[in-house]
Amino acid sequence: MATLSVKPGQRFTLLDWHTNSHLISADAERQRSASHQVRQEARALRNEINNQAKWDEHDNQTRLAERISSVNRWKETLDKSLADIDAEIDALAKVKEAAERALQAKNLPLDVSIECLTLRESRRAIDVVRDPVEEELQKEVKVIDKAKRELQQRVTEAFQQLCLLQEARQQLSSDHRRKMEALEIDRMCLSLSVNSPNISFKVNPTRVPDGSTALDEWEQNSRCNKERAEAEMKASTELREATVLAIAQTNNELEAQRVATEFALRKRIRDLESACDELKWQEQNTLEEIAEMEEDIRHLEEDLRRKMQDLKVAHTRLETRTCRPTMELCWDQAQNRLTAAVHQLEGTIRALRQKLAEAWDALDALYRQLHRIQTDSGYKASSLVLDNKCMDSRRKLVVPAEKLVPEVNTFNRTANHALSPPNTGQLDLA
């Protein structure tokens, strides 16, 4: 009889079989669901990426176009600033040359003022006084020096301002050149597309290049360059106006000071003449007082001699009365009166001697005063001569009024011609 062979191995139950089938179906369902989710997410990502790419490209082109417009506006602004600063440099250079020429016209008045001051240095003793004439001459020198310093300062400031304008122009020019290069680069970037032949991958293109600046710093730099140029041009305009005003005011100030100085000099000459007359009168009165004082001294000496004789008599009487014998040597009324007379005479003699000494001192003082008056009279006569020489020297400054009015276009040339004749006269007098 045949036997049934049994396959070795594990045997599963029917329940296990059904369970395994359910697991396979569930896993397949989960995998299909996950796959569907991935596909949906991939499609959404593709749509999002494509849309984002299109928007980014549009935004990039818009930003580049805006950047090009912004840089171009700054370039046009810099073009105008460069033209303005070039015109200002030319105008300031012309005013600087005018100030340098005007500076040459201040030498003659200064030479005359110094000549007058030098002449008046020859005054002697008390007449070396800081009178109104010297004050006016010193003012005149100060006015001329101030005018020369102001003009020299204007020339120096103009030179410095020209340097600042050139520096500002150099910054504008450099900024303008950099913006031209930036415009060219940004316009080339705006023209690039996926079909451009010169596109390629670059190594680390998102790096921040050395020397990069923020947008605010870039705009601030351009604004600073423009504002600095405008500030320098404004300062230059103010300097030109101040320089022209200084040149115009110089002649008026010098003429006004010349009139004031000569007025003071004429008054001083009159004062010296009056002082010389006064000293002559004082000398005469002093001589009269000396004669009277000498007469009074002679009278005092005579009175002193008489009182000395009276004192001798009183001394002799007192000394003689000391020879009275014993009880007769009493202090009687005669002794009292003689003693009082001695004391009174001694006081009178002391008073006369003191007054005589005072009289001699007064006489010495009168002689000293007479010498002082005579010396001072000589000083003032010498000062009068010197001031008259100063007045003669200042006549070379008198120029006809029409020669003092410069023409509008030839200010310095006309001013120089007006000063030439006095300069020649000064050389002739020298």
Side-chain angles (χ1 to χ4, degrees):
M1 183 175 175
T3 60
L4 179 64
S5 60
V6 179
K7 185 178 180 180
Q10 183 180 2
R11 295 273 182 176
F12 295 96
T13 65
L14 185 60
L15 180 61
D16 292 335
W17 182 83
H18 285 291
T19 300
N20 181 64
S21 296
H22 286 299
L23 287 174
I24 291 173
S25 296
D27 289 341
E29 185 67 25
R30 283 196 301 274
Q31 292 298 327
R32 287 194 302 273
S33 177
S35 176
H36 181 268
Q37 181 67 27
V38 169
R39 286 189 298 106
Q40 293 300 321
E41 290 177 355
R43 290 173 183 175
L45 179 61
R46 285 176 58 211
N47 290 333
E48 181 181 357
I49 289 173
N50 289 332
N51 291 333
Q52 185 65 40
K54 291 179 181 180
W55 173 251
D56 288 343
E57 178 64 18
H58 178 268
D59 186 52
N60 289 336
Q61 289 185 350
T62 301
R63 295 297 175 86
L64 280 173
E66 291 175 352
R67 178 61 177 172
I68 289 171
S69 177
S70 176
V71 174
N72 190 60
R73 284 196 302 272
W74 272 112
K75 182 190 77 70
E76 293 174 353
T77 301
L78 293 177
D79 286 335
K80 184 179 182 301
S81 296
L82 282 171
D84 292 342
I85 203 169
D86 285 338
E88 184 60 33
I89 288 173
D90 183 64
L92 182 59
K94 292 179 179 178
V95 171
K96 174 177 171 290
E97 292 175 359
E100 290 172 345
R101 292 192 299 270
L103 189 60
Q104 301 298 321
K106 305 301 177 287
N107 293 329
L108 177 62
L110 182 61
D111 291 341
V112 171
S113 299
I114 293 175
E115 180 183 355
C116 291
L117 286 171
T118 305
L119 279 172
R120 300 187 94 243
E121 285 298 319
S122 299
R123 294 175 297 170
R124 293 178 293 171
I126 192 61
D127 267 32
V128 185
V129 64
R130 187 171 181 81
D131 54 5
V133 177
E134 183 171 348
E135 291 177 358
E136 292 299 332
L137 284 171
Q138 294 286 356
K139 286 181 183 178
E140 193 170 51
V141 171
K142 289 180 180 178
V143 167
I144 298 172
D145 284 339
K146 178 184 177 182
K148 294 185 71 173
R149 285 196 306 272
E150 183 176 0
L151 289 174
Q152 183 61 55
Q153 180 181 358
R154 298 303 180 189
V155 171
T156 302
E157 290 176 354
F159 174 76
Q160 294 173 350
Q161 189 62 40
L162 283 172
C163 293
L164 293 175
L165 286 171
Q166 291 289 353
E167 183 179 347
R169 188 192 184 285
Q170 180 64 29
Q171 290 180 346
L172 288 176
S173 179
S174 298
D175 196 9
H176 182 271
R177 185 174 58 254
R178 290 192 297 267
K179 283 177 172 49
M180 290 294 293
E181 295 175 0
L183 278 175
E184 183 179 355
I185 291 173
D186 284 346
R187 283 168 179 164
M188 182 187 67
C189 291
L190 182 61
S191 66
L192 291 176
S193 67
V194 294
N195 298 319
S196 298
N198 55 346
I199 60 174
S200 64
F201 290 108
K202 307 296 180 182
V203 178
N204 192 17
T206 59
R207 72 187 184 279
V208 179
D210 295 337
S212 297
T213 58
L215 180 61
D216 292 341
E217 294 177 358
W218 170 83
E219 188 170 359
Q220 182 65 25
N221 177 70
S222 297
R223 185 178 295 108
C224 286
N225 290 336
K226 176 178 175 292
E227 290 176 352
R228 181 189 176 185
E230 291 175 347
E232 297 300 343
M233 285 188 287
K234 180 180 178 182
S236 177
T237 301
E238 294 175 353
L239 178 59
R240 285 193 293 110
E241 294 174 353
T243 302
V244 171
L245 181 61
I247 294 173
Q249 288 179 343
T250 299
N251 282 343
N252 292 334
E253 291 178 357
L254 292 181
E255 179 63 17
Q257 185 58 48
R258 183 189 70 82
V259 171
T261 301
E262 293 184 1
F263 176 80
L265 187 56
R266 292 189 184 94
K267 185 177 183 300
R268 181 59 178 171
I269 290 173
R270 291 193 298 271
D271 291 343
L272 285 171
E273 292 171 348
S274 299
C276 288
D277 294 338
E278 175 68 19
L279 286 172
K280 290 179 182 178
W281 183 82
Q282 291 292 342
E283 181 180 359
Q284 182 180 357
N285 289 343
T286 303
L287 287 172
E288 294 175 357
E289 182 65 24
I290 287 174
E292 293 180 2
M293 179 58 74
E294 289 176 344
E295 183 67 20
D296 288 347
I297 287 174
R298 284 194 297 270
H299 292 161
L300 284 172
E301 289 176 343
E302 291 175 0
D303 290 344
L304 181 60
R305 283 194 299 270
R306 285 194 298 269
K307 295 303 177 184
M308 292 293 292
Q309 293 299 326
D310 292 341
L311 183 60
K312 288 179 182 180
V313 172
H315 280 188
T316 302
R317 286 173 176 172
L318 285 173
E319 184 63 26
T320 302
R321 296 194 85 222
T322 60
C323 297
R324 289 177 295 168
T326 59
M327 293 301 294
E328 297 300 325
L329 191 62
C330 67
W331 195 271
D332 53 12
Q333 292 181 353
Q335 188 74 16
N336 287 335
R337 185 67 188 87
L338 286 172
T339 302
V342 168
H343 291 320
Q344 182 179 357
L345 286 171
E346 287 176 349
T348 301
I349 289 170
R350 284 195 299 270
L352 286 172
R353 284 176 176 173
Q354 180 179 356
K355 188 57 64 178
L356 184 60
E358 292 176 359
W360 278 111
D361 291 340
L363 183 61
D364 290 339
L366 285 172
Y367 275 113
R368 289 194 299 271
Q369 184 63 27
L370 178 62
H371 176 71
R372 182 180 179 184
I373 290 172
Q374 292 171 344
T375 303
D376 194 52
S377 179
Y379 294 156
K380 284 179 172 50
S382 176
S383 298
L384 184 59
V385 172
L386 292 173
D387 283 346
N388 282 321
K389 287 183 179 179
C390 289
M391 184 59 71
D392 292 338
S393 176
R394 294 189 65 82
R395 288 193 177 94
K396 68 184 72 174
L397 293 179
V398 179
V399 181
E402 61 274 7
K403 294 185 178 180
L404 290 176
V405 180
E407 296 180 5
V408 175
N409 296 328
T410 57
F411 175 82
N412 295 286
R413 186 181 306 167
T414 305
N416 289 334
H417 286 172
L419 292 175
S420 295
N423 189 26
T424 303
Q426 183 183 12
L427 293 176
D428 293 339
L429 288 173

